[in-house]
Amino acid sequence: MADSEKLYEIVESRSLSGEKARTKLDFLGTLEKAKARAVKEARKNIGVRYSVFPQGGFVADFQAFYRTTVKCPKCGEVIPIE
């Protein structure tokens, strides 16, 4: 099966008072769509890691994580920082 035919899932990982909470998102799609969705979700939820796994896989092919944000002093846009 080619990479374009594989289905990928997204797992959300967040730390809650020292303990890690992992949640599988309701998503199955190609690697490109999974990457785009992971980045979109990571930008909305600063401090939460989104990992893209092949369906049933153990090693992530992609991770999106933004630690903090800064605000542009000129335009006021909020910019996530990895």
Side-chain angles (χ1 to χ4, degrees):
M1 184 182 302
D3 281 343
S4 62
E5 297 174 7
K6 273 189 189 176
L7 291 178
Y8 290 83
E9 54 194 13
I10 301 173
V11 175
E12 173 186 275
S13 302
R14 61 175 72 217
S15 291
L16 300 172
S17 49
E19 295 182 23
K20 282 202 171 199
R22 295 181 59 140
T23 307
K24 193 180 294 188
L25 299 184
D26 185 25
F27 175 86
L28 281 177
T30 64
L31 181 59
E32 291 77 25
K33 289 181 182 177
K35 283 181 179 182
R37 173 92 184 263
V39 168
K40 179 181 169 186
E41 292 294 325
R43 285 179 172 265
K44 287 194 304 188
N45 301 305
I46 302 301
V48 179
R49 183 177 309 274
Y50 290 88
S51 305
V52 176
F53 291 91
Q55 188 175 17
F58 297 104
V59 178
D61 285 354
F62 178 78
Q63 291 186 13
F65 177 68
Y66 294 99
R67 192 174 313 274
T68 189
T69 61
V70 294
K71 189 172 184 179
C72 177
K74 291 185 179 178
C75 67
E77 179 184 356
V78 177
I79 304 165
I81 298 175
E82 291 185 36

